[in-house]
Amino acid sequence: MNPDHHTLLALFDREMREHARPDGPGVRVEHTGDVVRQVGTADDWNAVVWSAPDLDPARADAVIAAQVAHYTALGHDEFEWKLYGHDRPAGLADRLLAAGFEAEEPETLVVAPVGKLSTEVALPEGVRLRTVRDADDVELMARASERAFGSDWSRLRHQVLTRLAEDPDDFVGVLAMAGDEPVSAARMELYPGTGFAGLWGGGTVEEWRGKGVYRALVAFRARIAAERGYRYLQVDASDMSRPILQRLGFTALTTTTPFVYRPH
C-alpha cells in the first residue's frame, strides 16, 4: 500500500530534511535546534534545509539572522534557505525577503514510488544513454546543461567531479549522446539510510526536446534506483518538467523555493 499525501510528505520531511545527510564529500550537516543546515566550502551547496515546525514569529527573525551571521563568518559568497510551501511560521518567506534574501523560481516537490515507474528506456533514433565515468564526461555534462539551461555550471562541475572521485557509489551521472554531441545530461543522488533517491538536471538542448529524451533519462535512473533498493524518487520539478513527471506517475507534495542570500 502506498502512503497517502500527508504521510509521504511527513516521511520526506523526516528523512530528507530533519535528518538530512551530507550531499557529498567534504560537507557536514549541522543541527542547531531550530534549523538543520548543510555547510561546506564556497563551491559546495550551502543551505538551510529544515526549520522546526514550531518555529514561531517571536524568534523567527533571530533564527534567520543567526544563519546569515554563520555563513557570512565562513566567507561564503552565497547560501540558500530552502523554503517549502508548508514551512512555518506563516509569512516566513516575507521575513527572509526582509532579511535580504532573494527568491528564485519556485519548483514543485514531486515524489513517486520506484516500483510504480516504468524502467523501459525508449530513445529517438541516433541517441544513446551512458553513465558518466570521468572528467571528460563531466565536461560533456556541463556542455549539455549549459546549452539546455543557459546557466553557468562551474559550481556543479566541482561538485560532480568531487562525487566521482570520492563518493561514486552514491552518485549516478547520465549522458544522452547523439553521435559525439551531448544533447542531455542528468544525475541521480542516492541517499543511504533513507528510502529516497533524488533526480536532478535532465536538461535537454532545444532541438532535441519533445522526443522522449527526458522520459528515457527518468526511466534509466529509476531502473538503477530499483536495483539498489530505493523506494522513492524525488524531484524538485520546474514548470517544464512537472507535467511530464506527473504523467509518468509522480505526485506533487508541496512547493519549494530557493531563497538566496548574497552578502553585499
Side-chain angles (χ1 to χ4, degrees):
M1 179 181 297
N2 293 325
D4 61 24
H5 179 285
H6 177 77
T7 302
L8 189 52
L9 181 57
L11 178 67
F12 178 87
D13 278 343
R14 184 172 64 253
E15 292 197 354
M16 297 295 292
R17 302 182 64 205
E18 185 179 3
H19 300 291
R21 279 77 167 169
D23 74 352
V27 300
R28 64 187 182 276
V29 171
E30 299 177 344
H31 300 255
T32 70
D34 282 311
V35 303
V36 175
R37 63 194 178 208
Q38 176 167 288
V39 180
T41 70
D43 288 322
D44 294 311
W45 183 58
N46 291 274
V48 173
V49 298
W50 178 84
S51 57
D54 63 350
L55 181 63
D56 58 42
R59 66 181 195 279
D61 290 340
V63 171
I64 293 169
Q67 307 319 305
V68 171
H70 179 76
Y71 283 105
T72 302
L74 294 174
H76 294 334
D77 58 2
E78 69 175 48
F79 78 96
E80 179 181 325
W81 187 302
K82 192 170 177 61
L83 184 71
Y84 289 79
H86 58 294
D87 286 347
R88 295 292 179 265
L92 183 53
D94 292 335
R95 292 175 182 275
L96 289 167
L97 293 172
F101 287 77
E102 298 176 4
E104 299 192 341
E105 286 298 314
E107 296 175 312
T108 303
L109 171 66
V110 298
V111 173
V114 171
K116 297 290 186 180
L117 296 174
S118 170
T119 57
E120 179 182 355
V121 176
L123 288 162
E125 185 176 353
V127 176
R128 70 189 191 281
L129 298 185
R130 64 176 176 82
T131 55
V132 171
R133 300 162 300 202
D134 54 30
D136 289 340
D137 286 347
V138 174
E139 291 306 311
L140 294 174
M141 287 186 78
R143 188 192 309 172
S145 296
E146 288 175 344
R147 286 182 61 199
F149 295 117
S151 56
D152 178 46
W153 220 66
S154 300
R155 185 166 291 177
L156 275 171
R157 180 185 282 107
H158 161 82
Q159 294 169 13
V160 171
L161 285 169
T162 301
R163 292 298 293 272
L164 276 180
E166 300 181 28
D167 188 27
D169 293 340
D170 298 326
F171 171 83
V172 178
V174 188
L175 283 166
M177 304 291 296
D180 294 328
E181 187 64 24
V183 298
S184 189
R187 57 196 198 278
M188 180 166 64
E189 306 277 350
L190 303 171
Y191 306 110
T194 79
F196 290 89
L199 304 187
W200 303 93
T204 302
V205 301
E206 188 172 1
E207 58 267 32
W208 284 95
R209 292 173 188 165
K211 302 179 187 295
V213 175
Y214 182 84
R215 292 192 301 275
L217 287 167
V218 173
F220 185 86
R221 289 173 289 172
R223 180 188 300 171
I224 296 172
E227 291 170 350
R228 300 195 186 183
Y230 286 85
R231 295 180 60 199
Y232 301 104
L233 287 182
Q234 164 258 322
V235 187
D236 291 349
S238 67
D239 288 343
M240 182 180 296
S241 60
R242 179 184 50 78
I244 302 171
L245 291 164
Q246 288 182 301
R247 288 195 295 270
L248 294 176
F250 285 77
T251 298
L253 296 185
T254 187
T255 59
T256 178
T257 304
F259 280 78
V260 180
Y261 187 90
R262 298 179 177 92
H264 301 294

